[in-house]
């Protein structure tokens, strides 16, 4: 149960006294299993080489400092997540992309993504009626001349305009065509039909850039040359 692995109790941490040197197993990738509902306080704090994490659909809470001072480059949040506590992803200085697969009435704490390198934030492609209220500084100090881009479903930009913090981002209503989707799947290093990374190939961008919902179009996986992948899975719900 990840709720027990907070502070210095995590089994992948080797702690001395607070004043002495502490070390970690070289954790580079974490897959949190289905059934887990909470990641505890500081569970992966200062796992500097942790660059990839996969969350289960059952996850409800990411606690304070859970992934602070890690090396994550992209994060896709699960659909049932209800709360991201303060500084949950603080000082992930390589974190460039963040994707919400659902927002619901999610609570996001102060400084949750402070001191990151976010350039692209992907809003849900499902129908939305609620946009979370964000505390000032949730994304750190936003560079007014080069703010992150918030990618939203066409026709939903008005949900974010004028709202605290969201309004400081560049709001872009994305339209994808077939060529764009094929290239995205190549860039994503292939996803399975549930939108999860295929074993052995980590995504370079979050799965949530792809729309979800009823299947209106499907396309086979492709390799780096644009040819159909051998396994020939279909990725559904691309929203065409």
């Amino acid at each position: 149960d990840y709720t027990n692995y907070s502070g210095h109790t995590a089994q992948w941490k080797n702690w001395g006294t607070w004043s002495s040197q502490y070390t970690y197993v070289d954790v580079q990738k974490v897959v949190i299993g289905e059934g887990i509902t909470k990641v505890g306080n500081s569970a992966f704090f200062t796992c500097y080489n942790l660059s990839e994490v996969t969350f289960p659909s059952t996850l409800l809470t990411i606690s304070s400092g859970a992934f602070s001072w890690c090396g994550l480059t992209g994060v896709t949040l699960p659909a049932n997540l209800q709360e991201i506590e303060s500084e949950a992803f603080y000082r992930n200085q390589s974190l460039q992309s963040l994707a919400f697969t659902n927002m619901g009435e999610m609570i996001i704490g102060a400084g949750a993504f402070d001191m990151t390198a976010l350039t692209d934030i992907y809003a849900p492609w499902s129908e939305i009626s609620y946009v979370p209220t964000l505390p000032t500084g949730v994304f750190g100090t936003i560079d007014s001349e080069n703010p992150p881009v918030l990618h939203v479903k066409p026709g939903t930009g008005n949900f974010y305009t004028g709202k605290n913090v969201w309004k400081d981002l560049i709001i872009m209503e994305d339209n994808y065509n077939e060529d764009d989707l094929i290239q995205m799947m190549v860039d994503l290093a292939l996803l399975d039909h549930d939108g999860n990374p295929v074993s052995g190939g980590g995504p370079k961008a979050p799965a949530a850039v792809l729309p979800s919902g009823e299947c209106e179009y499907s396309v086979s996986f492709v390799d780096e040359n644009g040819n159909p992948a051998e396994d020939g899975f279909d990725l559904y719900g691309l929203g065409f």
Side-chain angles (χ1 to χ4, degrees), residues 118-135:
L118 283 173
T119 58
D120 294 275
I121 301 169
Y122 298 89
W125 274 69
S126 55
E127 294 300 321
I128 63 170
S129 59
Y130 174 87
V131 174
T133 299
L134 298 180

Side-chain angles (χ1 to χ4, degrees), residues 11-234:
Q11 62 184 12
W12 46 83
K13 301 180 181 181
N14 301 312
W15 286 78
T17 63
W18 179 252
S19 60
S20 66
Q21 180 65 38
Y22 51 87
T23 59
Y24 295 81
V25 177
D26 185 20
V27 179
Q28 299 180 21
K29 177 180 178 180
V30 169
V31 178
I32 300 176
E34 287 295 323
I36 297 297
T37 59
K38 181 178 181 179
V39 180
N41 294 344
S42 303
F44 297 94
F45 169 64
T46 62
C47 287
Y48 301 114
N49 294 327
L50 176 58
S51 61
E52 183 181 347
V53 60
T54 300
F55 296 113
S57 63
T58 53
L59 191 67
L60 302 178
T61 304
I62 300 175
S63 299
S64 179
F67 294 95
S68 60
W69 293 78
C70 292
L72 296 171
T73 57
V75 170
T76 298
L77 300 169
N80 294 315
L81 189 65
Q82 296 176 358
E83 183 172 11
I84 303 171
E85 294 184 356
S86 62
E87 300 188 353
F89 295 91
Y90 175 76
R91 203 174 271 276
N92 276 258
Q93 293 178 304
S94 297
L95 182 60
Q96 295 185 318
S97 61
L98 170 66
F100 295 87
T101 50
N102 184 33
M103 285 182 179
E105 297 195 14
M106 184 185 295
I107 298 170
I108 303 177
F113 300 95
D114 191 10
M115 299 296 289
T116 62
L118 283 173
T119 58
D120 294 275
I121 301 169
Y122 298 89
W125 274 69
S126 55
E127 294 300 321
I128 63 170
S129 59
Y130 174 87
V131 174
T133 299
L134 298 180
T136 300
V138 65
F139 298 126
T141 301
I142 295 176
D143 182 353
S144 61
E145 295 185 1
N146 189 30
V149 175
L150 176 64
H151 301 264
V152 303
K153 183 178 181 178
T156 64
N158 62 301
F159 282 95
Y160 305 89
T161 303
K163 290 184 171 61
N164 190 40
V165 181
W166 297 113
K167 64 181 176 58
D168 298 327
L169 309 177
I170 296 174
I171 299 173
M172 181 179 295
E173 296 192 0
D174 288 334
N175 289 286
Y176 297 115
N177 58 41
E178 182 177 351
D179 290 339
D180 291 335
L181 286 167
I182 290 174
Q183 184 58 52
M184 276 193 289
M185 285 192 293
V186 173
D187 292 342
L188 288 166
L190 302 184
L191 307 175
D192 65 18
H193 59 279
D194 294 319
N196 300 312
V198 172
S199 178
K204 300 176 184 176
V209 300
L210 301 174
S212 60
E214 295 183 3
C215 177
E216 299 178 28
Y217 186 85
S218 65
V219 60
S220 297
F221 287 137
V222 293
D223 62 22
E224 61 184 3
N225 297 314
N227 300 313
E230 184 176 346
D231 292 334
F233 294 114
D234 285 327

